[in-house]
């Protein structure tokens, strides 16, 4: 996916970037707090606005706005649950993996650094949208952005993307589609990969026998690894 490490910066640089909504303070959520926060944000976010932002990102290359559609799909179907009510896997360290959502509750965990999440939004259009921490961060940032209306060119670009996918051999790999999309809209390889993943999370592009998160929440053990580039 590329390097999402945060380069060195001064305190003055950080204050400026934080004010501009690019760098963020780390946060710490419990499993139950994160699930609750995501369910709340789903009630507040307008799906049409998220969809329009995705379409508008195609020619504007506003990758930060593109990301929210994948996160919304995951959050929309997230079942209300608590760690105590879910089956878990306990590790010798005391950490527990929730088998409902995949979140790991670790009593020794430090604060989650969110700046790499921010960089991924702006550089690629997101990263691992099925991570509840990323999905919450992504949608929280999206709520604070100005709406962006798609242009006729944006809508035509989306139609071309979907038509290209429709013409692919049913057995074609995602990597083949990524190459076929080259030149249809301003993008590099990583950006096209993330776009394909977002469309898959939403169910707009569906592998045989699979549905997107908008229809149902895929439990962690049910998710398949994309062998083309190693992302679930």
């Amino acid at each position: 996916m590329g390097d999402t490490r945060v380069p060195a910066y001064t305190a003055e640089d950080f204050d400026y970037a934080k004010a501009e909504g690019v760098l963020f303070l780390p946060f710490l959520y419990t499993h139950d707090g994160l699930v609750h926060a995501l369910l709340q944000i789903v009630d507040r976010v307008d799906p049409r606005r998220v969809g329009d932002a995705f379409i508008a990102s195609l020619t504007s290359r506003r990758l930060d706005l593109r990301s929210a559609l994948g996160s919304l799909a995951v959050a929309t179907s997230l079942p209300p649950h608590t760690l105590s009510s879910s089956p878990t896997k306990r590790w010798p360290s005391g950490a527990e993996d929730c088998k409902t959502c995949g979140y790991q509750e670790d009593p020794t965990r430090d604060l989650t650094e969110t700046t790499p999440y921010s960089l991924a939004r702006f550089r690629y259009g997101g990263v691992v949208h099925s991570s509840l921490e990323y999905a919450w961060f992504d949608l929280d940032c999206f709520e604070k952005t100005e709406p962006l209306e798609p242009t006729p060119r944006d809508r035509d670009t989306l139609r071309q993307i979907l038509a290209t996918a429709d013409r692919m051999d049913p057995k074609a790999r995602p990597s083949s589609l990524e190459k076929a999309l080259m030149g249809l809209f301003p993008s590099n390889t990583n950006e096209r990969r993330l776009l394909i993943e977002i469309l898959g999370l939403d169910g707009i592009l569906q592998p045989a026998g699979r549905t997107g998160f908008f229809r149902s929440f895929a439990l962690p053990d049910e998710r398949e690894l994309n062998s083309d580039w190693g992302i679930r």
Side-chain angles (χ1 to χ4, degrees), residues 46-58:
D46 180 0
R48 182 179 293 275
R49 182 170 173 257
V50 174
D52 282 349
F54 176 88
I55 299 171
S57 77
L58 296 175

PDB file of all heavy atoms in Angstrom, residues 46-58:
ATOM      1  N   ASP A  46     -25.349  11.279   6.276  1.00  0.00           N
ATOM      2  CA  ASP A  46     -26.287  11.152   5.164  1.00  0.00           C
ATOM      3  C   ASP A  46     -25.664  10.267   4.079  1.00  0.00           C
ATOM      4  O   ASP A  46     -24.669  10.656   3.459  1.00  0.00           O
ATOM      5  CB  ASP A  46     -26.597  12.539   4.596  1.00  0.00           C
ATOM      6  CG  ASP A  46     -27.568  12.494   3.429  1.00  0.00           C
ATOM      7  OD1 ASP A  46     -28.014  11.400   3.046  1.00  0.00           O
ATOM      8  OD2 ASP A  46     -27.867  13.574   2.872  1.00  0.00           O
ATOM      9  N   PRO A  47     -26.214   9.072   3.817  1.00  0.00           N
ATOM     10  CA  PRO A  47     -25.619   8.181   2.817  1.00  0.00           C
ATOM     11  C   PRO A  47     -25.534   8.810   1.425  1.00  0.00           C
ATOM     12  O   PRO A  47     -24.575   8.558   0.685  1.00  0.00           O
ATOM     13  CB  PRO A  47     -26.559   6.972   2.814  1.00  0.00           C
ATOM     14  CG  PRO A  47     -27.226   7.005   4.144  1.00  0.00           C
ATOM     15  CD  PRO A  47     -27.373   8.459   4.486  1.00  0.00           C
ATOM     16  N   ARG A  48     -26.516   9.635   1.078  1.00  0.00           N
ATOM     17  CA  ARG A  48     -26.474  10.268  -0.246  1.00  0.00           C
ATOM     18  C   ARG A  48     -25.273  11.210  -0.357  1.00  0.00           C
ATOM     19  O   ARG A  48     -24.610  11.270  -1.391  1.00  0.00           O
ATOM     20  CB  ARG A  48     -27.772  11.035  -0.512  1.00  0.00           C
ATOM     21  CG  ARG A  48     -27.827  11.689  -1.899  1.00  0.00           C
ATOM     22  CD  ARG A  48     -29.133  12.412  -2.116  1.00  0.00           C
ATOM     23  NE  ARG A  48     -30.229  11.467  -2.175  1.00  0.00           N
ATOM     24  CZ  ARG A  48     -30.582  10.825  -3.291  1.00  0.00           C
ATOM     25  NH1 ARG A  48     -29.914  11.033  -4.418  1.00  0.00           N
ATOM     26  NH2 ARG A  48     -31.597   9.990  -3.273  1.00  0.00           N
ATOM     27  N   ARG A  49     -25.004  11.933   0.717  1.00  0.00           N
ATOM     28  CA  ARG A  49     -23.859  12.841   0.727  1.00  0.00           C
ATOM     29  C   ARG A  49     -22.547  12.062   0.588  1.00  0.00           C
ATOM     30  O   ARG A  49     -21.622  12.489  -0.088  1.00  0.00           O
ATOM     31  CB  ARG A  49     -23.865  13.658   2.016  1.00  0.00           C
ATOM     32  CG  ARG A  49     -22.737  14.669   2.126  1.00  0.00           C
ATOM     33  CD  ARG A  49     -22.958  15.599   3.317  1.00  0.00           C
ATOM     34  NE  ARG A  49     -21.804  16.468   3.523  1.00  0.00           N
ATOM     35  CZ  ARG A  49     -20.898  16.291   4.465  1.00  0.00           C
ATOM     36  NH1 ARG A  49     -21.019  15.271   5.301  1.00  0.00           N
ATOM     37  NH2 ARG A  49     -19.880  17.106   4.602  1.00  0.00           N
ATOM     38  N   VAL A  50     -22.479  10.905   1.250  1.00  0.00           N
ATOM     39  CA  VAL A  50     -21.286  10.067   1.148  1.00  0.00           C
ATOM     40  C   VAL A  50     -21.118   9.550  -0.279  1.00  0.00           C
ATOM     41  O   VAL A  50     -20.021   9.555  -0.833  1.00  0.00           O
ATOM     42  CB  VAL A  50     -21.372   8.889   2.139  1.00  0.00           C
ATOM     43  CG1 VAL A  50     -20.206   7.928   1.946  1.00  0.00           C
ATOM     44  CG2 VAL A  50     -21.386   9.403   3.574  1.00  0.00           C
ATOM     45  N   GLY A  51     -22.232   9.096  -0.868  1.00  0.00           N
ATOM     46  CA  GLY A  51     -22.173   8.606  -2.247  1.00  0.00           C
ATOM     47  C   GLY A  51     -21.781   9.691  -3.222  1.00  0.00           C
ATOM     48  O   GLY A  51     -20.968   9.472  -4.141  1.00  0.00           O
ATOM     49  N   ASP A  52     -22.337  10.889  -3.050  1.00  0.00           N
ATOM     50  CA  ASP A  52     -21.989  12.004  -3.936  1.00  0.00           C
ATOM     51  C   ASP A  52     -20.508  12.367  -3.804  1.00  0.00           C
ATOM     52  O   ASP A  52     -19.848  12.684  -4.804  1.00  0.00           O
ATOM     53  CB  ASP A  52     -22.844  13.230  -3.594  1.00  0.00           C
ATOM     54  CG  ASP A  52     -24.256  13.133  -4.150  1.00  0.00           C
ATOM     55  OD1 ASP A  52     -24.506  12.230  -4.972  1.00  0.00           O
ATOM     56  OD2 ASP A  52     -25.104  13.948  -3.749  1.00  0.00           O
ATOM     57  N   ALA A  53     -19.989  12.314  -2.575  1.00  0.00           N
ATOM     58  CA  ALA A  53     -18.574  12.632  -2.367  1.00  0.00           C
ATOM     59  C   ALA A  53     -17.684  11.617  -3.067  1.00  0.00           C
ATOM     60  O   ALA A  53     -16.650  11.975  -3.648  1.00  0.00           O
ATOM     61  CB  ALA A  53     -18.264  12.670  -0.871  1.00  0.00           C
ATOM     62  N   PHE A  54     -18.080  10.348  -3.021  1.00  0.00           N
ATOM     63  CA  PHE A  54     -17.310   9.315  -3.712  1.00  0.00           C
ATOM     64  C   PHE A  54     -17.258   9.603  -5.213  1.00  0.00           C
ATOM     65  O   PHE A  54     -16.195   9.567  -5.835  1.00  0.00           O
ATOM     66  CB  PHE A  54     -17.939   7.943  -3.462  1.00  0.00           C
ATOM     67  CG  PHE A  54     -17.267   6.827  -4.209  1.00  0.00           C
ATOM     68  CD1 PHE A  54     -16.188   6.158  -3.653  1.00  0.00           C
ATOM     69  CD2 PHE A  54     -17.716   6.444  -5.465  1.00  0.00           C
ATOM     70  CE1 PHE A  54     -15.562   5.129  -4.347  1.00  0.00           C
ATOM     71  CE2 PHE A  54     -17.098   5.417  -6.161  1.00  0.00           C
ATOM     72  CZ  PHE A  54     -16.014   4.760  -5.605  1.00  0.00           C
ATOM     73  N   ILE A  55     -18.420   9.902  -5.784  1.00  0.00           N
ATOM     74  CA  ILE A  55     -18.468  10.176  -7.229  1.00  0.00           C
ATOM     75  C   ILE A  55     -17.663  11.426  -7.563  1.00  0.00           C
ATOM     76  O   ILE A  55     -16.908  11.461  -8.542  1.00  0.00           O
ATOM     77  CB  ILE A  55     -19.935  10.329  -7.694  1.00  0.00           C
ATOM     78  CG1 ILE A  55     -20.711   9.043  -7.439  1.00  0.00           C
ATOM     79  CG2 ILE A  55     -19.990  10.683  -9.181  1.00  0.00           C
ATOM     80  CD1 ILE A  55     -22.208   9.168  -7.658  1.00  0.00           C
ATOM     81  N   ALA A  56     -17.804  12.467  -6.729  1.00  0.00           N
ATOM     82  CA  ALA A  56     -17.091  13.725  -6.979  1.00  0.00           C
ATOM     83  C   ALA A  56     -15.589  13.570  -6.855  1.00  0.00           C
ATOM     84  O   ALA A  56     -14.826  14.390  -7.385  1.00  0.00           O
ATOM     85  CB  ALA A  56     -17.591  14.800  -6.021  1.00  0.00           C
ATOM     86  N   SER A  57     -15.141  12.520  -6.156  1.00  0.00           N
ATOM     87  CA  SER A  57     -13.696  12.321  -5.994  1.00  0.00           C
ATOM     88  C   SER A  57     -13.021  11.796  -7.247  1.00  0.00           C
ATOM     89  O   SER A  57     -11.794  11.835  -7.359  1.00  0.00           O
ATOM     90  CB  SER A  57     -13.441  11.327  -4.848  1.00  0.00           C
ATOM     91  OG  SER A  57     -13.683   9.986  -5.254  1.00  0.00           O
ATOM     92  N   LEU A  58     -13.800  11.313  -8.196  1.00  0.00           N
ATOM     93  CA  LEU A  58     -13.217  10.617  -9.333  1.00  0.00           C
ATOM     94  C   LEU A  58     -12.391  11.533 -10.224  1.00  0.00           C
ATOM     95  O   LEU A  58     -11.316  11.153 -10.687  1.00  0.00           O
ATOM     96  CB  LEU A  58     -14.318   9.933 -10.152  1.00  0.00           C
ATOM     97  CG  LEU A  58     -15.072   8.817  -9.404  1.00  0.00           C
ATOM     98  CD1 LEU A  58     -16.209   8.289 -10.244  1.00  0.00           C
ATOM     99  CD2 LEU A  58     -14.117   7.701  -9.013  1.00  0.00           C
TER     100      LEU A  58
END
